[in-house]
Amino acid sequence: MAAADLIEAGAADREVARRFRVSRMSANRWRRALASGGRQALASKGPGGARCKLDAGQLRVLEAVLDAGPSAVGWPDQCWTLARIAEVVRRRFGVEYTLAGMDLLLHRIGWSVQVPSRKAAERDEEKIAAWKDEQWPVIKRRRRTWAPGSASRTKPARG
């Protein structure tokens, strides 16, 4: 609306654009909208983009399904993927989402891509401990610092 004041005061598109840090094309678009529809034509029409295909109740149901985990819906592991969630939404609500659209929807309801916080169900703590005791010391053996050697072809080690 401050731009409308400036336009009504007779400022050129160049000055309006500079003052509000927009292109001259945008300033000209504002000028034409003001001339044809008044200040109401300059009022915000809300956020852009497509409307959500699910209503508030369906979003709550989706969150409950996601909280229950993938195994509750039939997948054996504990990993949600965008494709799996899109499949659940398609089956349960009859609504198709692209993977990008599903990602946006999940962000809108507060979910984000994360590394799983739980340990794998197949994890065997005894085998892990044995591997750390037996194999890791062999792999992580200290480098011999006293031996001559160089990775450089142009500056070989002194012998």
Side-chain angles (χ1 to χ4, degrees):
M1 294 304 155
D5 292 338
L6 202 57
I7 291 169
E8 288 172 343
D13 291 344
R14 179 174 296 197
E15 184 181 343
V16 173
R18 185 184 53 75
R19 174 101 180 266
F20 293 98
R21 295 181 183 166
V22 296
S23 67
R24 283 192 311 181
M25 206 166 153
S26 291
N28 185 264
R29 194 175 317 116
W30 293 346
R31 179 182 302 282
R32 286 184 313 213
L34 184 63
S36 66
R39 286 179 175 263
Q40 298 84 2
L42 293 177
S44 173
K45 292 166 185 67
R51 288 206 166 138
C52 186
K53 297 176 185 178
L54 302 178
D55 62 32
Q58 291 172 323
L59 288 174
R60 283 192 297 276
V61 170
L62 176 60
E63 284 189 81
V65 169
L66 294 175
D67 282 333
S71 58
V73 196
W75 282 286
D77 60 356
Q78 289 295 312
C79 184
W80 278 121
T81 63
L82 289 175
R84 286 179 176 184
I85 298 170
E87 179 64 21
V88 167
V89 169
R90 188 187 62 73
R91 280 192 216 151
R92 184 150 308 203
F93 306 114
V95 175
E96 298 276 338
Y97 269 98
T98 63
L99 297 184
M102 183 55 58
D103 184 53
L104 290 171
L105 173 71
L106 291 175
H107 280 285
R108 185 179 298 160
I109 63 173
W111 285 69
S112 64
V113 178
Q114 296 178 6
V115 176
S117 60
R118 290 174 283 218
K119 294 180 181 176
E122 304 84 14
R123 186 177 170 105
D124 185 347
E125 294 297 334
E126 289 178 16
K127 285 184 180 179
I128 292 170
W131 184 88
K132 281 183 180 177
D133 291 341
E134 298 164 15
Q135 298 294 319
W136 183 241
V138 174
I139 295 168
K140 192 61 181 171
R141 202 173 275 156
R142 290 187 145 225
R143 241 183 54 200
R144 296 180 306 175
T145 57
W146 54 267
S150 173
S152 173
R153 289 183 183 178
T154 58
K155 190 174 180 184
R158 291 183 225 135

